Amino acid sequence: MEKLLQEFSIGLFFWHSIIFITLIFLLKRFAWKPILQAINDRENSIRDAIESAEKAKIEMENLKADNKKILKEAMIEKEKLLKEAKEIRQKVIDKAKDEAGEQALRIITEANETIESEKNAAIAEIKNQVVNLSIDIAEKVLKKKLENEKNQMEYVNDLVKDVNLKQ
Amino acid sequence: MIKTNNKIRSLKFFLFIGVIFITVFVNAKDKEEKLNSKELQKKEIKDYIAHHLEDSYYFDLFSYTNDKNEKKYIGFPLPIILWDNGVKIFSSSKFNHGKSVVNIHGNFYKIYHNKIYKTDFSGTINYDKNNHPSNFRPYDFSITKGVSVIILTSILMFVLFRSLANSYSKNKGLASGLGRFFEPIVIYIRDEIAIPNIGEKNYKKYMSFLLTIFFFIWFLNMLGLTPFGINVTGNIAITFSLAILTFIITNFTANKNYWAHIFWMPGVPTLMKIVLAPIEVLGVFIKPFTLMLRLYANMQAGHIVMMSLIALMFIFYNWIGSSLSFFLAFFISIIELFVALLQAYIFTILSALYFGFANEEHEHNETH
């Protein structure tokens, strides 16, 4: 112990303390702070990168699931639309058929009516013509027959007879 | 790329082996074939080791004895700074390795047993009854070998870690260059030493100290293994300075809980509180004291063991014994490389642990 104390050099202690403390502060300012900062930053950026990769993975999975869901929904929608379209087509066809039937019926009815009226008109005309023709013939026959007096008288008598008969 | 790496690796390995060889060689060099008497040789080795463990006023890389039996030193002198009624600065070369008395404005100084004493003009050393020199010792603030190594290490650390810090901004947040080797260690200190011991909340304010002290001790320990006879962390003044910093930081950043645990331990009977208080107060001082002694003793012992084993080669002075002690020294060198790291780690983790005590927050009042 005594030897240790004797060995102890104040000068060495003094210089060492000064140099060492200065060294601590110098290194702190110029080395340790930037070094630790850089290491810290790097670690943080690695951690962030891993985290964001993880996040991206999860997002990808979510996206995939979403895609599947959307696809499924789209399929259902498509089927529904197809079904609806079919129904609508059927309805349109049915309606068209109905309308067409009605129309046809109406046209037929109208045609029938027209035919009927035309027929009647034609018959009426034919009748008229027949009457006129008959009258003309009768006239001509009468004219021929009634060229002499005697015949005339005979005829008038016949007529009178006929009239009476008919009435 | 891989080829060059291998080349560099093998080159480094050879360098490493080379350094150890030089350690062995240089430390032993001036002991070669010198003394006939074994006893005298042993004493000289002991002195040499003791001398190596001490701080020095010269930066000697090695020394040898020439043909004229004069000791020659290869190295350079360092500035001497004394406080003796004013500052006195001069080169240590004036002492001529302890042989000369230096005259500075009428004051005479002499190195005796590696310490500077004020003497008369002929350099007389007076002794007291315990056979200690009774001469006046001026306050000695010299830039010794230890101080210059500390300065060099500090510059090295600053350049190294500054380049690491700069490489991040240059290289998009990735370390490059030599500093890359130290980045995992920085992260290790943060994640395995600071956070577990101090806690996520408070560790940041201690990081600078922990990182600095770890690399500082480690680098100095490693420098101690080079053959330049550097023994800084094995010096009590250095470990005292490091430990007292831990002590100051611990006690100045301590929260209420820490002091409550020392002076009025919660959750024990009042009588126990009174008994525990002085023990805990003692503990406050013992903790940094053990820090100081552990590092000092480990590095000191490591140097003694290594140098003794190297010296054994010259005591045996035959093929079997010398080669055996060479391999032992080689083996111990490798262990010392590990110890250099381990001691730095222990000092750092214990400092972190004490900082952790100072920042602990429990709800003792409820739980006990």
Side-chain angles (χ1 to χ4, degrees):
Chain A
M1 196 66 208
E2 197 200 357
K3 194 171 171 281
L4 273 188
L5 285 177
Q6 249 190 357
E7 247 180 55
F8 190 89
S9 157
I10 299 281
L12 194 55
F13 172 74
F14 170 79
W15 285 118
H16 176 261
S17 302
I18 286 181
I19 295 165
F20 188 69
I21 291 167
T22 316
L23 182 67
I24 291 176
F25 283 106
L26 273 180
L27 283 178
K28 183 181 184 174
R29 168 77 180 75
F30 291 107
W32 303 134
K33 255 193 184 159
I35 289 172
L36 290 172
Q37 191 58 44
I39 291 172
N40 220 26
D41 287 351
R42 199 179 52 201
E43 278 171 357
N44 282 342
S45 76
I46 291 170
R47 205 171 293 135
D48 286 353
I50 291 171
E51 250 169 44
S52 62
E54 204 77 18
K55 232 185 251 167
K57 213 172 131 192
I58 290 167
E59 253 166 42
M60 263 305 262
E61 261 158 32
N62 282 348
L63 223 64
K64 264 187 196 165
D66 273 2
N67 278 352
K68 252 184 202 168
K69 218 174 88 188
I70 288 168
L71 210 68
K72 213 171 155 189
E73 275 173 6
M75 288 291 260
I76 291 168
E77 190 77 5
K78 190 188 86 180
E79 238 139 73
K80 216 173 88 188
L81 279 177
L82 274 174
K83 216 169 133 193
E84 268 177 17
K86 257 185 201 166
E87 272 170 17
I88 288 168
R89 195 186 67 175
Q90 201 58 44
K91 239 184 237 169
V92 168
I93 290 171
D94 285 356
K95 207 177 153 194
K97 261 186 190 164
D98 284 358
E99 271 180 10
E102 265 171 36
Q103 194 83 4
L105 211 66
R106 216 178 63 224
I107 290 167
I108 289 167
T109 319
E110 272 175 13
N112 280 347
E113 276 168 13
T114 313
I115 290 166
E116 194 64 30
S117 63
E118 290 289 318
K119 198 177 84 184
N120 287 346
I123 290 170
E125 195 157 318
I126 289 166
K127 266 183 186 167
N128 276 345
Q129 278 186 6
V130 169
V131 169
N132 286 344
L133 222 60
S134 314
I135 290 170
D136 279 352
I137 294 165
E139 209 178 60
K140 275 169 187 167
V141 170
L142 278 176
K143 267 178 185 168
K144 201 131 188 197
K145 242 177 177 180
L146 297 178
E147 274 172 349
N148 51 29
E149 214 114 345
K150 191 197 147 196
N151 284 356
Q152 278 180 357
M153 271 327 282
E154 254 174 41
Y155 183 66
V156 170
N157 285 341
D158 277 352
L159 274 177
V160 170
K161 237 195 265 174
D162 274 353
V163 166
N164 283 344
L165 275 171
K166 266 186 187 172
Q167 287 290 314
Chain B
M1 192 65 209
I2 291 163
K3 230 179 187 175
T4 14
N5 273 348
N6 276 341
K7 245 183 212 165
I8 289 166
R9 206 172 300 149
S10 60
L11 192 73
K12 275 181 184 164
F13 180 71
F14 277 117
L15 266 178
F16 168 70
I17 298 279
V19 163
I20 287 169
F21 260 109
I22 294 165
T23 313
V24 171
F25 192 63
V26 170
N27 282 326
K29 195 165 183 177
D30 65 334
K31 292 192 289 294
E32 273 175 29
E33 306 174 11
K34 213 162 70 183
L35 292 159
N36 319 329
S37 157
K38 274 256 147 104
E39 283 308 307
L40 212 60
Q41 193 185 18
K42 273 182 195 165
K43 193 188 170 300
E44 192 180 323
I45 287 168
K46 213 172 142 192
D47 286 347
Y48 189 89
I49 293 173
H51 173 76
H52 158 79
L53 293 174
E54 281 177 352
D55 206 357
S56 163
Y57 293 109
Y58 304 87
F59 207 117
D60 291 334
L61 298 174
F62 56 89
S63 60
Y64 64 94
T65 311
N66 66 8
D67 302 335
K68 288 171 219 154
N69 214 21
E70 285 172 326
K71 211 162 184 185
K72 289 280 177 193
Y73 296 90
I74 306 297
F76 46 90
L78 295 164
I80 303 277
I81 302 167
L82 297 177
W83 178 266
D84 183 18
N85 292 324
V87 185
K88 296 186 169 54
I89 302 173
F90 53 95
S91 165
S92 69
S93 61
K94 287 191 174 182
F95 282 117
N96 198 12
H97 282 272
K99 277 178 248 155
S100 310
V101 179
V102 178
N103 178 357
I104 305 289
H105 312 305
N107 295 309
F108 297 93
Y109 301 104
K110 186 176 166 56
I111 293 181
Y112 177 75
H113 279 272
N114 213 21
K115 286 184 187 69
I116 295 174
Y117 293 92
K118 200 171 182 182
T119 61
D120 54 15
F121 71 95
S122 59
T124 323
I125 299 285
N126 305 308
Y127 298 94
D128 61 10
K129 55 184 183 297
N130 294 325
N131 211 23
H132 290 315
S134 59
N135 290 44
F136 175 71
R137 277 183 65 193
Y139 294 110
D140 183 358
F141 294 104
S142 305
I143 306 299
T144 58
K145 192 176 188 177
V147 176
S148 48
V149 170
I150 290 166
I151 293 170
L152 282 176
T153 310
S154 302
I155 292 169
L156 175 75
M157 275 176 76
F158 185 79
V159 170
L160 193 65
F161 291 109
R162 181 78 192 130
S163 81
L164 174 62
N166 280 338
S167 76
Y168 285 109
S169 48
K170 273 187 220 140
N171 206 17
K172 289 179 196 158
L174 290 175
S176 65
L178 190 60
R180 189 156 57 180
F181 175 73
F182 295 101
E183 192 203 82
I185 301 172
V186 172
I187 295 172
Y188 181 86
I189 289 170
R190 191 194 60 180
D191 291 347
E192 305 298 327
I193 294 179
I195 293 176
N197 285 308
I198 303 170
E200 192 86 50
K201 204 176 115 198
N202 293 313
Y203 81 93
K204 274 191 179 130
K205 59 181 167 184
Y206 299 109
M207 275 311 283
S208 298
F209 177 75
L210 292 175
L211 286 166
T212 314
I213 208 161
F214 176 82
F215 286 110
F216 189 75
I217 295 175
W218 188 29
F219 287 180
L220 281 178
N221 286 350
M222 292 297 273
L223 279 177
L225 296 175
T226 58
F228 303 119
I230 295 162
N231 180 32
V232 177
T233 38
N235 190 304
I236 197 80
I238 303 294
T239 58
F240 177 70
S241 166
L242 292 174
I244 209 159
L245 268 175
T246 300
F247 173 78
I248 289 169
I249 293 171
T250 307
N251 290 294
F252 273 77
T253 60
N255 58 14
K256 260 188 275 171
N257 250 307
Y258 173 78
W259 295 114
H261 267 74
I262 289 166
F263 293 112
W264 207 243
M265 181 73 86
V268 295
T270 313
L271 193 67
M272 278 301 283
K273 287 182 185 192
I274 294 165
V275 175
L276 278 175
I279 298 173
E280 288 287 333
V281 171
L282 209 60
V284 171
F285 296 99
I286 287 173
K287 279 170 195 163
F289 187 74
T290 56
L291 270 187
M292 169 182 85
L293 277 192
R294 184 181 299 107
L295 181 60
Y296 163 75
N298 268 291
M299 296 329 289
Q300 187 89 325
H303 280 247
I304 292 172
V305 167
M306 229 164 89
M307 294 187 73
S308 304
L309 285 172
I310 292 163
L312 264 184
M313 268 182 259
F314 301 94
I315 289 178
F316 279 125
Y317 212 62
N318 61 44
W319 279 105
I320 299 163
S322 295
S323 52
L324 200 74
S325 50
F326 170 78
F327 281 110
L328 255 170
F330 183 79
F331 179 65
I332 291 291
S333 294
I334 291 166
I335 290 193
E336 280 299 310
L337 279 178
F338 172 67
V339 169
L341 180 63
L342 186 73
Q343 287 306 319
Y345 169 76
I346 288 173
F347 201 106
T348 314
I349 200 166
L350 285 177
S351 294
L353 194 68
Y354 302 154
F355 298 155
F357 290 152
N359 278 287
E360 227 166 352
E361 280 171 30
H362 344 233
E363 291 77 41
H364 267 291
N365 301 331
E366 285 102 303
T367 49
H368 275 266

